[in-house]
Amino acid sequence: MTEGHARHDRHVIALMGNPNTGKSSLFSALTGTRQKVANFPGVTVEAKIGTARFENSEITVIDLPGTYSMAARSPDERVATDALLGRIEGTPKPDGVIIVLDASSLDRNLYIGTQILEFGLPAVVALTMVDVAESRGITVDVAKLSETLGVPVVVINAPKGRGLDDLKSTLHRTLHHPGKVLELDYPDDFLRGVNTLYNELCDLGVKLGFKPTRPEALRLLVDGAGPFFDECEEVGGEEFISKFFEIREKAAGGRSLSMHEAQTRYGAIGKWMQEVKQTETREGRTRTDIVDGILTHKFWGSLVFIVVMGLIFQSIYSWSGPLMDAIDGSFGALGEWVGGMMSDGALKSLVVDGVIAGVGGVLIFLPQILVLFLFIAILEDLGYMARAAFLMDRLMSRFGLNGRSFIPMLSGFACAIPAIMGTRVIEDRNTRLTTIFLAPFMSCSARLPVYVLFIAAFVPQMKVLGFIELQGLVLFAMYWVGVFAAIPTALVLKKGILKSKATPFLLELPSYKTPRLKAVGRTLWDRGGSFIKRAGTIILAVSVLVWAAGYFPHSQEVDDKYDAQLAEVESAYADSILEFNPEEDADSLLAQYKAIDDAHEERVAEAEEAAEDDDALEQAISESKAERNAEMAKLAAKSADAEQALSHYADWKALEERRGEIENLRGGEHLEDSFLGRAGHVIEPAVEPLGWDWRIGMAAIASFPAREVIVATLGTIFNLGGDEDEESETLREVVKNAERKDGSKLFTLATALSIMVFFALCAQCAATLAVMRRETNSWKWPIASFLYMTVLAYIGALVTYQVAHALGG
Amino acid sequence: MSTGTLDKLPIGKSARILDVGGEAALQQRLLEMGLLPGVDVTVVRQAPLGDPIEVKVMGYSLSLRRSEAANVQIETTA
């Protein structure tokens, strides 16, 4: 693509304009599926690069983020200028530019239009929303507009595919002629300032490493801050800075330079519009006005908002559940299937517990991400996202955020991953970074198993004030722990590290549009793909690392010890029992007894779900047991062989139990002996003040890649095997009865609360950190988040334990 | 004819902008979005919590906080 200039059949163009102008749908219409995300180092916004074809030529299209101005106070805002001048590594330099202008608010759209035209690149204007403008009584004289601006203007309707060929052929023609630089009537002092500064910048040019342009001199003069200013300060030093401010003062002539710029631009635009645009005043309100009357109404608007937000939360929190279960289940089955074909050993464990479980651990987030982005894409396309921000801004601004932060924060209660990805809707860089940092504090659904296990085991079932369940109250409180930690964090961030003089919340409320299915699908595809590609690899790597830490050294001695135990136990049984395999010998008598027994187990499991209290459950179990015994007796009565098989079945079952126990002990001992287990012992002194022992410490370390892992880890270390879940009665009992070395109970209410607070505050989620890295384009944020949350979690757990312990918990 | 700031303009009322002030970045943003001297602006509504407000300017709808609108000097003709 670098030889784009030399060959006439290849071109690079930039697509620019305001947000909500139909720029993205033009990009999709031009490039179709031939597009990818461009990586801009050091910024949080992204651009897309795609390829369009016209006759024999190939056009590379760079879709730059929609913006209202080229003013660049932050690295994110600087991207437009840098991309236009071809200064971003890995992104080709544009030969021309398509300026997208919305005919229904042409004046404001032309503001950035005039800024772009000053760069003098070959340009074509794509005029969109002509139908919307007409419905409001606005007619634009396209020929006049083209004549005035000195560039071709093409009317397009990208969703309907209208004007695209015309745009491409016009572009093709235009690219072969040099562009014309737009010259506006700036006040004399201002213009002199731009020229003087331009000369100064040219002198600095060698040190800057690029050749500055006049429009950049204008931007630097007016903005007086931002990344370009910092660069100049760095290479030009004090000498340059003092000259700069001198030039600035002269150019301003006692007024503000932004005022000069805005009045010159809008002054010119106003004059042009008198000839280009005709406005008939229409009686009555537009469709958007009528809809807004309801959607931003004090009562109805709030009601719709609550319903929509409830729907979003509910769908991420529970409706994506079945899909997640399906992914979980299929990866579990895949692991079992693959495991069944491999012989025991490190390789099998790596494949099954490391890689397959790791890939499953990446994909499990997809349903939540897709569901959230389904809503965001539809609501954004519809125009409702801006209204939601309008409604919530007051509330969010109290925490230094803005209205756009609400949906990401709400999603955080389901999962931080979609929440962090959802912060793309926030235009302001600092607000976006703050929201990204705060999202993991919201108690996500992966923390729930931890709460459920410990609350069920240690919080007594009783009512407070006669009607509030204490267990429910504690669960509710756990959700607030994160929020309470997030509030001061937000204020500190906004006042400290991310301090910006003012982050104005000027938000265009675009007219309502019908969501386009294709665009929504595109968004889902992009977001899902980008998560898997960019975050997936990191998550997988971490999963394999933690698997290795929990598996090795896997000493032979431990295996030998348990193999010997197994052999000893098995020696007491006859061959027919030892070799019975329920799957292979499905027709045997033993298998028939097993089927009866399995049916009983199933009935018990059902009863556990359905039974209202312990008495009912006990009765159901004993009924089922009686049924099983009767069926077995009936079968045994058929023949002497059948009678003997019954006693063999009982022996086989006892053997299976012993085998299971030995395997669980083996797993527990391997884990204790592993690097992870040893790390648990090492950190024991540090976690003792939290009321923990090495086992809890180790489980907490093992949970850093994914917090819900703690439940299975506790299952393994307490010799129950790794398949326990938080609802398991056995795990609950074992946890309740676990003892310290001195024989005292390991878990008390104080310890349980301390663990829960730790898990509420800790950044135990590799996926979150990976997504944070991907969205901020830097490791700085995930590292800061990890350190901050871990320290906070430690302090929180420490205070909780010490206070609860002192109160006798 | 009376002068004041945009944040105090009642809902449904229109005014002409006299001047735009505020801290440099805010002033620049207000100007870029079309709030500049000589332009007519109408307050359309306020959010249910009282802030921000929605104004119509240059034919489009803009939401801004009252604290930001306070930097916009206006005069009402009626």
Side-chain angles (χ1 to χ4, degrees):
Chain A
M1 238 160 275
T2 42
E3 76 272 35
H5 286 286
R7 292 175 55 183
H8 281 291
D9 55 351
R10 279 192 160 191
H11 292 290
V12 180
I13 55 140
L15 198 56
M16 300 182 77
N18 283 184
N20 312 309
T21 49
K23 193 167 69 67
S24 302
S25 51
L26 172 59
F27 177 72
S28 291
L30 283 175
T31 63
T33 51
R34 300 177 298 272
Q35 47 171 276
K36 63 176 175 97
V37 174
N39 191 33
F40 292 168
V43 299
T44 63
V45 292
E46 62 178 32
K48 283 189 192 163
I49 295 189
T51 331
R53 283 179 214 286
F54 176 72
E55 289 169 3
N56 289 324
S57 62
E58 201 178 87
I59 308 168
T60 301
V61 187
I62 310 171
D63 183 21
L64 292 170
T67 167
Y68 296 100
S69 160
M70 299 286 278
R73 288 167 185 279
S74 77
D76 287 8
E77 293 169 330
R78 170 85 180 155
V79 162
T81 309
D82 279 344
L84 203 58
L85 295 169
R87 291 215 192 104
I88 297 176
E89 212 177 306
T91 308
K93 181 183 188 311
D95 308 313
V97 55
I98 297 178
I99 306 171
V100 184
L101 300 179
D102 172 353
S104 69
S105 52
L106 195 53
D107 302 47
R108 197 207 60 225
N109 272 257
L110 269 170
Y111 188 85
I112 192 172
T114 60
Q115 290 179 330
I116 299 166
L117 288 172
E118 282 175 341
F119 277 88
L121 262 78
V124 176
V125 164
L127 194 65
T128 61
M129 314 276 173
V130 174
D131 47 345
V132 179
E134 273 167 7
S135 73
R136 291 194 201 154
I138 303 167
T139 22
V140 178
D141 185 336
V142 178
K144 259 278 162 40
L145 180 63
S146 168
E147 189 189 313
T148 314
L149 297 177
V151 297
V153 177
V154 180
V155 174
I156 62 149
N157 185 334
K160 292 191 179 147
R162 269 184 228 147
L164 293 177
D165 287 334
D166 192 7
L167 179 69
K168 281 195 242 179
S169 60
T170 309
L171 189 68
H172 199 250
R173 279 199 306 277
T174 312
L175 286 173
H176 291 105
H177 302 287
K180 208 182 90 192
V181 181
L182 177 76
E183 306 227 5
L184 295 175
D185 281 332
Y186 291 102
D188 290 344
D189 285 343
F190 184 95
L191 207 55
R192 248 193 303 277
V194 174
N195 289 331
T196 320
L197 185 59
Y198 176 53
N199 290 334
E200 290 291 333
L201 285 176
C202 287
D203 291 346
L204 273 189
V206 180
K207 287 192 211 162
L208 281 169
F210 56 81
K211 192 183 174 303
T213 56
R214 263 171 54 94
E216 279 178 292
L218 187 153
R219 282 268 55 84
L220 182 64
L221 183 75
V222 176
D223 300 351
F228 189 37
F229 177 81
D230 298 341
E231 257 173 81
C232 292
E233 188 175 18
E234 202 176 298
V235 298
E238 214 147 284
E239 194 195 347
F240 173 80
I241 295 304
S242 66
K243 245 188 246 164
F244 173 71
F245 282 107
E246 207 178 295
I247 298 169
R248 223 173 168 238
E249 210 178 305
K250 264 195 209 151
R255 294 185 67 202
S256 107
L257 286 157
S258 342
M259 187 67 91
H260 284 308
E261 187 193 0
Q263 283 191 316
T264 306
R265 290 189 197 285
Y266 275 122
I269 294 166
K271 233 177 268 158
W272 299 339
M273 286 306 112
Q274 285 176 3
E275 302 202 0
V276 168
K277 194 175 79 172
Q278 286 203 315
T279 314
E280 269 173 60
T281 1
R282 292 262 164 112
E283 287 303 312
R285 307 192 300 163
T286 65
R287 198 179 54 169
T288 293
D289 280 339
I290 296 165
V291 178
D292 261 343
I294 302 163
L295 291 186
T296 56
H297 184 268
K298 199 164 187 160
F299 176 76
W300 298 113
S302 309
L303 188 71
V304 170
F305 178 80
I306 291 168
V307 170
V308 171
M309 293 305 129
L311 194 69
I312 293 179
F313 183 73
Q314 188 65 20
S315 35
I316 315 175
Y317 197 87
S318 45
W319 294 345
S320 37
L323 265 172
M324 293 170 75
D325 288 345
I327 291 174
D328 200 25
S330 30
F331 274 85
L334 179 69
E336 238 165 70
W337 182 70
V338 172
M341 296 191 305
M342 300 175 71
S343 54
D344 283 345
L347 184 65
K348 172 176 163 180
S349 183
L350 168 66
V351 171
V352 176
D353 303 326
V355 177
I356 295 180
V359 173
V362 174
L363 294 185
I364 195 98
F365 291 110
L366 263 190
Q368 291 178 325
I369 292 172
L370 295 183
V371 167
L372 177 66
F373 274 96
L374 178 69
F375 280 101
I376 287 185
I378 293 175
L379 294 180
E380 186 81 81
D381 231 27
L382 199 67
Y384 188 73
M385 285 297 276
R387 271 74 187 184
F390 176 68
L391 292 174
M392 290 317 288
D393 183 60
R394 175 74 190 275
L395 188 72
M396 302 310 282
S397 68
R398 295 203 178 160
F399 311 117
L401 302 173
N402 73 38
R404 290 251 178 194
S405 310
F406 185 79
I407 289 181
M409 287 308 230
L410 179 78
S411 318
F413 282 103
C415 180
I417 315 282
I420 290 172
M421 293 178 73
T423 61
R424 281 157 195 273
V425 299
I426 305 168
E427 290 112 358
D428 176 64
R429 178 184 167 90
N430 286 354
T431 308
R432 179 163 179 218
L433 289 172
T434 311
T435 311
I436 288 178
F437 198 79
L438 295 181
F441 281 91
M442 304 302 114
S443 229
C444 69
S445 55
R447 283 159 168 122
L448 194 60
V450 186
Y451 301 154
V452 166
L453 172 67
F454 289 104
I455 287 176
F458 298 101
V459 178
Q461 261 188 337
M462 56 180 273
K463 287 196 165 59
V464 186
L465 300 174
F467 67 96
I468 305 166
E469 286 281 354
L470 182 63
Q471 291 190 335
L473 196 65
V474 174
L475 184 63
F476 188 67
M478 291 319 300
Y479 275 86
W480 280 100
V481 167
V483 177
F484 280 133
I487 292 171
T489 306
L491 297 178
V492 168
L493 270 181
K494 288 294 281 190
K495 297 246 152 64
I497 313 158
L498 289 177
K499 185 172 173 169
S500 49
K501 282 173 196 130
T503 44
F505 188 58
L506 300 183
L507 176 76
E508 181 190 359
L509 300 172
S511 47
Y512 289 101
K513 295 179 192 85
T514 318
R516 293 149 301 142
L517 202 65
K518 245 177 152 176
V520 171
R522 175 99 253 154
T523 306
L524 294 186
W525 179 256
D526 281 354
R527 295 286 79 89
S530 122
F531 168 75
I532 291 176
K533 265 187 282 177
R534 305 224 188 170
T537 40
I538 303 176
I539 301 170
L540 185 59
V542 173
S543 309
V544 172
L545 270 180
V546 170
W547 162 82
Y551 184 82
F552 291 109
H554 211 82
S555 82
Q556 191 60 43
E557 275 168 49
V558 177
D559 273 339
D560 290 346
K561 183 169 123 196
Y562 287 100
D563 285 345
Q565 281 190 21
L566 210 56
E568 198 194 317
V569 169
E570 287 177 348
S571 68
Y573 292 92
D575 283 350
S576 64
I577 296 164
L578 283 174
E579 280 158 20
F580 168 58
N581 181 332
E583 271 160 38
E584 281 173 20
D585 316 320
D587 300 327
S588 75
L589 280 162
L590 252 62
Q592 291 179 33
Y593 284 113
K594 184 162 188 302
I596 296 172
D597 213 13
D598 287 348
H600 158 67
E601 307 257 321
E602 215 164 284
R603 288 195 297 269
V604 170
E606 272 167 32
E608 270 171 0
E609 295 250 322
E612 281 170 11
D613 55 53
D614 289 352
D615 288 347
L617 180 63
E618 225 160 89
Q619 201 193 338
I621 293 176
S622 73
E623 273 170 24
S624 168
K625 224 181 235 172
E627 194 181 331
R628 175 194 65 178
N629 294 348
E631 277 180 50
M632 285 186 171
K634 211 166 102 192
L635 185 59
K638 280 188 181 161
S639 70
D641 276 354
E643 203 178 332
Q644 203 196 358
L646 179 56
S647 90
H648 280 172
Y649 175 72
D651 283 348
W652 177 81
K653 210 177 164 192
L655 173 64
E656 277 301 289
E657 257 170 45
R658 282 295 291 141
R659 277 172 171 162
E661 279 166 23
I662 290 170
E663 287 310 321
N664 289 343
L665 284 170
R666 185 204 297 262
E669 193 160 332
H670 272 310
L671 186 55
E672 178 170 5
D673 188 43
S674 72
F675 296 120
L676 205 59
R678 293 177 199 184
H681 281 290
V682 170
I683 65 157
E684 190 162 32
V687 297
E688 245 171 20
L690 313 184
W692 304 3
D693 75 340
W694 71 270
R695 287 171 289 191
I696 307 175
M698 184 205 63
I701 297 177
S703 310
F704 270 97
R707 45 177 67 86
E708 61 275 22
V709 165
I710 190 184
V711 177
T713 310
L714 287 175
T716 305
I717 201 65
F718 289 118
N719 304 322
L720 294 173
D723 297 331
E724 295 300 323
D725 69 27
E726 68 278 7
E727 306 277 353
S728 154
E729 283 291 336
T730 347
L731 183 58
R732 239 173 246 175
E733 287 309 308
V734 168
V735 164
K736 267 189 197 171
N737 298 324
E739 290 176 350
R740 289 174 197 274
K741 271 172 243 147
D742 60 9
S744 66
K745 283 260 186 292
L746 171 56
F747 291 96
T748 58
L749 179 60
T751 310
L753 288 175
S754 131
I755 294 173
M756 284 194 281
V757 168
F758 187 88
F759 274 74
L761 295 177
C762 200
Q764 288 166 309
C765 183
T768 300
L769 298 173
V771 166
M772 227 182 238
R773 142 92 188 96
R774 192 247 162 288
E775 293 293 318
T776 60
N777 239 330
S778 132
W779 277 110
K780 196 173 80 186
W781 286 96
I783 291 171
S785 162
F786 179 77
L787 293 177
Y788 178 76
M789 290 186 76
T790 306
V791 169
L792 201 66
Y794 184 86
I795 297 172
L798 180 72
V799 171
T800 307
Y801 179 73
Q802 296 299 340
V803 170
H805 192 62
L807 293 174
Chain B
M1 229 173 11
S2 69
T3 61
T5 51
L6 181 57
D7 59 315
K8 301 274 163 40
L9 190 65
I11 292 167
K13 288 274 183 286
S14 302
R16 177 153 296 182
I17 298 171
L18 291 176
D19 197 10
V20 177
E23 184 275 325
L26 175 62
Q27 186 202 27
Q28 189 177 23
R29 288 280 282 140
L30 290 167
L31 292 166
E32 284 168 356
M33 296 306 279
L35 294 165
L36 71 159
V39 170
D40 290 330
V41 59
T42 310
V43 177
V44 181
R45 59 174 66 86
Q46 61 176 16
L49 297 170
D51 196 21
I53 55 170
E54 178 187 336
V55 300
K56 242 193 176 98
V57 61
M58 288 197 178
Y60 80 100
S61 295
L62 175 73
S63 150
L64 73 168
R65 290 175 180 161
R66 284 185 188 277
S67 60
E68 292 156 357
N71 293 296
V72 180
Q73 303 287 328
I74 48 159
E75 66 170 3
T76 47
T77 36

